[in-house]
Amino acid sequence: MSRPKTAPYRQFFAALATLLFVVTSAHAQTRPNVRILATGGTIAGTGASSTTTVGYTAATVGVQQLIAAVPELAKVANVKGEQVFQIASESMTNEHWLTLGKRVNALLAQPDVDGIVITHGTDTLEETAYFLDLVVKSRKPVVLVGAMRPSTALSADGPLNLYNAVLVAGNADAAGKGVLVSLNDQIHSARDVTKTNTSTPDSFKTPELGLIGYIQGGKAFFYRASTRKHTFDTEFDIANLNTLPQVDIVYGYANMNTVALDAFVAAGAKGIIHAGVGDGSLAARVKPALIAARKKGAIIVRASRVGQGILARNGEANDDELDFVAADTLSPQKARILLMLALTKTTNTAEIQRMFYTY
Ligand code: ASP
């Protein structure tokens, strides 16, 4: 019996399939391996209608759905998703940070992971970013991303923000720059970025010190980097930590009283961030309570509620005499993070002040 006429075609198609497989897997090998760790937030939020941009529910869409919504990701990276938490970021706790930091360190230690993207609510995104900036032990890129509009909104910013973040995390130029934050086509360093607007997509800014790069046309461009030490170059290690020391923030305002401060100290605060008015000035009726708190052992860091500028050591208060620490340019919420980590190493105020000028 003669062979069916279709045999040569079969052979041809089999050869073509093999070729395609080889070409596709070679291409996959050249693409970076990026892990997406999802934690919730508005980027994973859903609203009642396409025009709902406030009053929606954060943290409802799972990581696989977030990835599936952006098929373009597959062209620029080999992405794998992992749901670490599913929360609105106002509910982020120290314990969440420790879990996340350990997971990031474990993944970055793997040779088959080139970079990490963390999807996150925008409310505390800058805090998680700075925490990771101080505890991640790797030069590989870590990029935090969020969205100001829920996934169901007209012009939702999440999908493009996610695509851009994956581009940055897979870009060799992003390595060694510390933890990065990317939204609205811009790249910021974790230490200096802050949320500046309650609702607009251009909310994330690095006032005065400046953003460090842009994403345009599917490429990341870098122009500067923070001069402060970070990630692989810090003295902090969370590997064996399950909790962080209690540090709270007291906010300065006209007519300020000591009720919150006294309550925090009575509750066992190991550190207090005084988010003072102006250059961290101390109200006459609050200063004695801060001195008393220091005498009880709490570390007092003077920060400012102003949002920009250096908190001058020995400026509005004599920090040498009071044995207080100056927050330098850190916002009160970021000063809290550095003080918690500092307290895992020492209670010496000179050492803690050194850390505030180092990180
Ligand atoms: N409340 C939300 C969150 O931080 C806001 C957002 O993600 O934009 O989770």
Side-chain angles (χ1 to χ4, degrees), residues 40-43 56 58 87-90 120-124 147-148 195:
T42 293
I43 193 167
Y56 54 86
I87 59 170
S89 78
E90 56 269 32
H120 199 288
T122 60
D123 290 351
T124 60
M148 294 298 292
K195 185 174 182 177

Side-chain angles (χ1 to χ4, degrees), residues 235 325 342 345-358:
E235 58 209 276
V325 173
K345 307 287 286 186
T346 181
T347 52
N348 180 299
T349 48
E351 265 294 281
I352 295 172
Q353 185 65 74
R354 174 190 64 74
M355 292 174 188
F356 272 83
Y357 286 134
T358 304

Side-chain angles (χ1 to χ4, degrees), residues 97-313:
W97 283 343
L98 289 168
T99 304
L100 183 63
K102 287 175 192 174
R103 185 66 190 136
V104 168
N105 277 329
L107 284 171
L108 293 180
Q110 290 180 204
D112 64 341
V113 175
D114 298 313
I116 290 183
V117 167
I118 299 168
T119 62
H120 199 288
T122 60
D123 290 351
T124 60
L125 189 148
E126 70 203 59
E127 295 181 48
T128 301
Y130 186 53
F131 175 76
L132 294 174
D133 198 50
L134 294 171
V135 304
V136 165
K137 299 285 163 209
S138 174
R139 286 184 154 78
K140 293 179 186 174
V142 176
V143 185
L144 274 88
V145 64
M148 294 298 292
R149 294 179 180 140
S151 64
T152 43
L154 280 176
S155 292
D157 49 338
L160 185 56
N161 282 352
L162 181 61
Y163 177 76
N164 283 342
V166 169
L167 276 177
V168 176
N171 186 319
D173 292 346
K177 289 193 166 60
V179 172
L180 302 173
V181 168
S182 173
L183 289 94
N184 202 38
D185 299 347
Q186 298 174 332
I187 309 165
H188 302 262
S189 71
R191 182 185 185 277
D192 304 315
V193 69
T194 191
K195 185 174 182 177
T196 65
N197 187 291
T198 55
S199 48
T200 61
D202 63 345
S203 180
F204 281 78
K205 307 249 192 253
T206 302
E208 298 198 330
L209 298 178
L211 53 77
I212 68 163
Y214 296 99
I215 304 120
Q216 193 186 59
K219 283 197 192 112
F221 298 88
F222 290 93
Y223 297 90
R224 65 183 92 246
S226 173
T227 58
R228 291 306 175 97
K229 288 191 175 185
H230 53 73
T231 53
F232 58 87
D233 212 8
T234 80
E235 58 209 276
F236 308 115
D237 186 358
I238 57 164
N240 297 314
L241 296 180
N242 294 316
T243 55
L244 291 168
Q246 188 194 330
V247 175
D248 295 293
I249 302 175
V250 295
Y251 198 82
Y253 48 93
N255 204 47
M256 183 183 181
N257 59 55
T258 66
V259 175
L261 170 61
D262 293 342
F264 284 140
V265 175
K270 303 284 180 287
I272 295 288
I273 308 297
H274 179 265
V277 295
D279 195 12
S281 318
L282 307 178
R285 67 179 174 197
V286 175
K287 190 172 170 182
L290 286 168
I291 293 170
R294 177 72 198 101
K295 290 220 167 88
K296 278 193 190 145
I299 302 294
I300 311 296
V301 174
R302 287 196 309 116
S304 171
R305 69 173 197 177
V306 168
Q308 286 163 58
I310 300 172
L311 193 300
R313 185 172 171 88

